[in-house]
């Protein structure tokens, strides 16, 4: 009975410790998640400000109506450049440039996504970078737009764009096609034709509908046609494909048809036309970052109120020395192959299109617009130009009378100069107030920790700060309070450090310096992937030399580790934009099978070898090649076959058959369930997990990343072999606890404590985890997400499901790394949670570094990358734990044996 009481008390203490650990982990997740959000409060504030009055236009509108054509995903060079036969893809719009209108390049700003791009065009402001997280949903904050100011708006196009601006607009007539129309397996140019057909049908109905005709004939009318074909075809077939390039011709034909239709209907020459795009398209069929292929879009304007083309006697471009707050440059030379060097080109910021459209139809500019009116496009007299510039300035500053006396004195030059200076100062002021809280938040989050919470709270309340500001300050004070409340623990730590020998302290210092060096190397790898190549070349040599010296079967094992590391080092030399190579994906399936067979051969030859039996199955009477293993091999082979079938259908421009989709989903789902039924021996279970995630990874692969999956697995196996060698070397040296183990399987409660040498495990995990990020691309770039990877599962446009599949594909290599990490903590008998906290510590060191590298000035590529780097490291702490929880389902029952038990069994 007494023994039972002791056991009961011991179990209770273990449960209490386990509950404390879970609460500590949960608190860590919450703290890191909230602090991750702080980046947007510190560096970026929403540009939307309410309470301003619109500034009316004080001269007659040049046009009664405006037609806005937006070709989603149309990049500038593919629009302007000629084909191989010398003919241009957009003959109508090119004739407009040469004969009746103005042209230029509209520069979008990251995130180069559809919704932020359309907001910039129609509302005139740039959403902060966090806007991309809202995806394709309508902006939850109400904002003003040209459509709001119009007398009536007619809009047709994508269900992801049109409702954002028109669903809550009473004076609008709009329509959108079903989401099912957005099928990546077909030629999507019919979506553009659909938009035109709806507008054509609207005009035809107006002949029998007097009310509709009255709406069309009034002034201040806007017609918006959203043409999605180029975007969909660019994602599915790439912007250099014949389908995408033909879609450019389709868009040009629609522009011509709209022009002829409108002119024949109204017959008053009072219509202005704007043709542009929301963003471009990278060569691999994606967009989102600040690469010129994504930011450079065409702009063509003609019709009422638009100047005709201006001939140049020499190749030069207009540069008015204006830069927006991000120092975005526009005065780039026109490529000679465009054949337009003799026509004046006027580049604009994307938001500048908003005041241009508002001025053309005599509307007040949207109150949140930061666009600068491009007067070079407008056919106005000198007085009207100044009135337009002053209205633009007043809208930014919201002062109506400040500079109006210049107009009365007819001192137009002074008026224009003053307006431009005032506008520039206004934008500088807006930028100042958007970053007003920067110093206070920086101090709160990383430098403070005093007991001034009451004072801080009062200040925050007085300034009406957001609730997150209170959370930042409260958590900081809470953490420092908890730290100093355990002053006795701090004293014990100091006493232990003080009583250590000089050699031990130097060893600790050297280990810390090495860890810091590795972490800084990982930080640098975010900017230069090739560092991993040098890293694994070096590690391969060092590990091989170590194995030759200490490992059993030393030469064979050393050769394996060297080849595995050098093989993995190749992938960070490959282009981040993964080229399509179906044959390589199929060959990768065969390579995966070979790797799995090699693993089972290693298992089968482990009898009598203590080194091998550390990680192989313990029961030699069971089948060495069970039925489950063959079933998994079969699923890998089937996935390779489905890669061929699915890709062939897409290459032939046929829709992916429903049966193909169902089979792909079934193979992926079934393969991930089978590892649960594999034997719990370390190598057998890890091999089963490797085979389990191989089919979905193959089905989501398009090129060399499929080979990377096996290469990473080979290095992970090398990691296990190195740790086994170290374990054999240090037997009995680090902890007598290991030598006293009974001949039994090691459970969670038999873990030893962490010592200084164990720091190598979380450090190696950090390196391998990050190489899983960057081994096949630049995860820090939005455009690195290859949407064509999901086409074997779904082709109908579904942003959230497609995003989930992409993220799942990226997580598969991470799960392999975490499964091996969890298995090693059991093999080495070290507490996994302790290693996880070391991973948190290392991640936080890198996060702090990236926090101070975040930029809100400079190019938007630099800004976007700095945010991505900080976000990745902040999120890493959160989702590593989630992946630990997920992979624990696969690894929790893994069985390993101690060296002492193997030695006694051999005796």
């Amino acid at each position: 009975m007494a023994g039972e009481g002791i056991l009961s008390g011991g179990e209770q203490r273990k449960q209490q410790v386990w509950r404390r650990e879970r609460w500590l982990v949960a608190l860590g997740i919450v703290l890191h998640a909230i602090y991750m959000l702080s980046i947007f409060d510190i560096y970026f504030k929403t540009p939307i400000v309410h309470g301003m009055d619109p500034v009316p236009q004080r001269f007659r509108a040049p046009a009664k109506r405006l037609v806005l054509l937006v070709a989603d995903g149309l990049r500038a060079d593919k629009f302007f450049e000629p084909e191989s036969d010398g003919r241009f893809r957009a003959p109508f719009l090119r004739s407009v440039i040469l004969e009746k209108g103005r042209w230029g390049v509209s520069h979008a700003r990251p995130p180069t996504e559809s919704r932020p791009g359309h907001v910039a065009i129609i509302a005139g402001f740039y959403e902060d970078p966090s806007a991309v997280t809202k995806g394709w949903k309508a902006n939850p904050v109400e904002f003003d737009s040209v459509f709001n100011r119009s007398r009536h708006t007619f809009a047709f196009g994508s269900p992801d764009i049109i409702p954002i601006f028109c669903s809550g607009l009473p004076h609008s007539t709009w329509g959108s096609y079903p989401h099912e129309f957005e099928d990546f397996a077909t030629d999507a140019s019919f979506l553009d034709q659909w938009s035109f057909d709806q507008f054509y049908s609207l005009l035809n109905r107006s002949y029998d509908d007097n009310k509709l005709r009255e709406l069309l004939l009034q002034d201040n009318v806007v017609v918006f046609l959203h043409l999605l074909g180029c975007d969909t075809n660019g994602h599915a077939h790439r912007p250099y494909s014949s389908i995408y390039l033909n879609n450019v011709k389709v868009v040009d034909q629609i522009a011509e048809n709209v022009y002829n239709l409108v002119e024949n209907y109204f017959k008053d020459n009072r219509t202005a036309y704007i043709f542009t795009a929301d963003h471009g398209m990278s060569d691999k069929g994606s967009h989102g970052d600040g690469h010129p292929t994504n930011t450079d879009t065409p702009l063509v304007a003609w019709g009422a109120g638009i100047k005709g083309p201006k001939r140049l006697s020499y190749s030069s471009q207009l540069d008015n020395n204006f830069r927006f707050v991000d120092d975005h440059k526009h005065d780039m030379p026109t490529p000679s192959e465009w054949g337009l060097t003799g026509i004046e080109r006027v580049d604009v910021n994307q938001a500048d299109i908003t005041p241009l459209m508002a001025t053309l139809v005599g509307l007040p500019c949207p109150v949140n617009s930061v666009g600068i009116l491009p007067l070079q496009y407008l056919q106005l007299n000198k007085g009207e130009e100044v009135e337009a510039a002053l209205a633009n300035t007043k809208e930014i500053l919201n002062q109506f009378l400040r500079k109006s006396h210049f107009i009365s004195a007819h001192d137009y030059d002074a008026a224009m100069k003053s307006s431009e200076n005032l506008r520039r100062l206004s934008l500088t002021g807006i930028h100042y107030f958007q970053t007003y809280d920067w110093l206070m938040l920086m101090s709160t989050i990383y430098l403070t920790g005093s007991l001034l919470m009451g004072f801080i709270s009062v200040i925050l309340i007085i300034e009406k700060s957001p609730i997150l500001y209170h959370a930042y300050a409260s958590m900081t004070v809470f953490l420092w309070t908890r730290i100093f409340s355990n002053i006795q623990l701090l004293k014990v730590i100091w006493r232990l450090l003080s009583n250590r020998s000089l050699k031990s302290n130097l060893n600790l210092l050297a280990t810390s310096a090495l860890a810091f060096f590795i972490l800084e190397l990982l930080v640098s790898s975010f900017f230069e992937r090739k560092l991993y190549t040098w890293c694994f070349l070096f590690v391969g040599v060092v590990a091989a030399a170590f194995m030759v010296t200490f490992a059993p079967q030393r030469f064979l094992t050393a050769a394996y580790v060297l080849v595995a590391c050098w093989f993995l080092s190749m992938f960070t030399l490959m282009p981040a934009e993964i080229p399509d190579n179906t044959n390589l994906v199929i060959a990768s399936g065969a390579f995966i099978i070979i790797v799995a067979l090699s693993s089972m051969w290693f298992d089968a030859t482990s009898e009598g070898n203590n080194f091998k039996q550390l990680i192989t199955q313990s029961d030699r009477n069971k089948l060495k090649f069970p039925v489950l293993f063959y079933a998994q091999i079969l699923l890998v082979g089937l996935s390779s076959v489905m890669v061929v079938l699915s890709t062939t259908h897409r290459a032939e421009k046929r829709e992916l058959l429903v049966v193909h989709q169902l089979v792909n989903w079934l193979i992926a789902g079934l393969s991930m369930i089978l590892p649960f039924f594999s034997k719990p021996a370390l190598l057998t279970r890890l091999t089963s997990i490797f085979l389990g995630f191989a089919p979905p990874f193959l089905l989501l692969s398009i090129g060399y990343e499929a080979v990377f999956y096996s290469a990473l697995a080979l290095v992970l196996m090398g990691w296990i072999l190195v740790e086994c060698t170290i374990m054999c070397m240090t037997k009995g040296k680090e902890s007598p606890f290991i030598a006293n183990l009974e001949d039994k399987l090691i459970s969670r409660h038999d873990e030893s404590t962490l010592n200084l040498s164990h720091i190598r495990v979380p450090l190696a995990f950090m390196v391998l985890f990050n190489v899983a990020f960057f081994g096949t691309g630049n995860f820090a770039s939005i455009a690195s997400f290859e949407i064509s990877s999901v086409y074997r599962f779904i082709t109908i446009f579904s942003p959230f499901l497609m995003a989930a599949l992409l993220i799942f594909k990226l997580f598969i290599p991470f799960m392999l790394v975490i499964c091996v990490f969890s298995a090693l903590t059991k093999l080495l008998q070290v507490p996994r949670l302790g290693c996880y906290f070391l991973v948190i510590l290392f991640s936080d060191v890198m996060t702090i570094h990236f926090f101070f590298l975040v930029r809100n000035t400079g190019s938007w590529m630099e800004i976007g990358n700095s945010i991505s780097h900080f976000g990745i490291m902040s999120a890493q702490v959160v989702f590593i734990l989630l992946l630990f929880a997920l992979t624990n389902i696969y690894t929790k029952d893994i069985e390993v044996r101690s060296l002492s038990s193997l030695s006694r069994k051999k005796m």
Side-chain angles (χ1 to χ4, degrees), residues 783-804:
S784 287
F785 291 88
E786 182 51 69
I787 196 171
S788 63
S789 299
V790 307
Y791 291 163
R792 298 185 186 110
F793 290 93
I794 182 174
T795 57
I796 302 298
F797 182 64
S798 176
F800 299 107
L801 178 57
M802 287 179 167

Side-chain angles (χ1 to χ4, degrees), residues 731-775:
K731 178 185 177 183
K733 294 180 180 180
E734 293 186 350
S735 174
F737 177 74
I738 298 178
N740 295 328
L741 284 175
E742 297 296 330
D743 184 8
K744 63 179 181 179
L745 299 176
I746 298 171
S747 68
R748 177 180 177 274
H749 306 301
D750 294 316
E751 295 170 345
S752 63
T753 57
L754 285 170
N755 58 59
L756 191 59
S757 67
H758 288 145
I759 199 172
R760 70 181 185 273
V761 179
L763 277 176
F765 171 82
M766 291 290 293
V767 173
L768 290 167
F769 195 86
N770 280 276
V771 84
F773 266 117
F774 296 103

Side-chain angles (χ1 to χ4, degrees), residues 588-606:
S588 300
F591 188 34
I592 288 170
I593 293 174
I594 293 173
V595 171
L597 290 172
S598 301
S599 173
M600 296 308 292
W601 170 83
F602 185 92
D603 187 298
T605 59
S606 64

Side-chain angles (χ1 to χ4, degrees), residues 50-56 144 149 364-367 394-395 398-399:
H50 298 287
M52 296 173 292
D53 295 325
V55 179
D144 198 9
R149 297 296 166 188
C365 195
V367 294
K394 289 177 179 178
E395 175 269 319
N398 199 23
Q399 292 182 346

Side-chain angles (χ1 to χ4, degrees), residues 6-46:
I6 293 174
L7 289 175
S8 176
E11 287 298 323
Q12 289 180 355
R13 285 192 296 273
K14 291 175 182 176
Q15 289 297 323
Q16 290 175 354
V17 171
W18 178 237
R19 281 195 296 268
R20 288 190 63 185
E21 289 177 347
R22 285 186 296 178
W23 276 109
L24 186 60
V25 170
L27 178 62
I29 291 178
V30 173
L31 293 179
H32 282 87
I34 293 179
Y35 281 150
M36 185 170 60
L37 296 176
S38 70
I39 189 69
F40 297 108
D41 284 324
I42 293 174
Y43 289 101
F44 303 95
K45 301 294 289 296
T46 175

Side-chain angles (χ1 to χ4, degrees), residues 569-699:
S569 71
M570 296 167 48
F571 288 90
T572 46
L573 293 175
M574 296 182 181
E577 296 183 355
I578 303 173
D580 287 350
N581 192 331
T582 304
N583 293 331
L584 192 57
V585 177
I586 298 169
S588 300
F591 188 34
I592 288 170
I593 293 174
I594 293 173
V595 171
L597 290 172
S598 301
S599 173
M600 296 308 292
W601 170 83
F602 185 92
D603 187 298
T605 59
S606 64
E607 185 70 31
N609 187 319
N610 281 3
F611 180 78
K612 288 186 177 181
Q613 286 190 10
L614 279 172
I615 58 175
T616 55
Q617 60 189 21
S618 56
D619 191 346
R620 311 311 307 168
N621 296 322
K622 294 184 179 179
L623 290 175
K624 297 177 181 178
F625 295 92
V627 176
L628 178 66
F629 176 75
Y630 290 123
Q632 291 188 288
I633 292 289
L634 178 62
L635 287 176
V636 174
L638 284 175
S639 65
S640 299
V641 172
M642 293 308 300
V643 166
V644 177
L645 293 177
S646 303
T647 305
T648 302
H649 268 73
R650 279 199 60 234
E652 296 175 354
K653 302 178 178 62
R654 289 187 288 168
E655 294 185 17
L656 186 62
L657 298 177
V658 175
V659 65
H660 286 178
Q661 295 184 24
L662 292 176
V663 171
N664 290 340
W665 281 102
L666 181 63
I667 291 174
L670 181 61
S671 66
M672 291 186 293
I673 296 175
L674 293 182
F676 292 123
F677 305 100
S678 63
K679 296 183 180 67
L682 186 146
L683 183 60
T684 304
R685 176 59 57 84
L686 291 180
T687 303
S688 183
I689 293 171
F690 168 69
L691 288 173
F693 285 102
F697 195 80
L698 285 175
L699 290 169

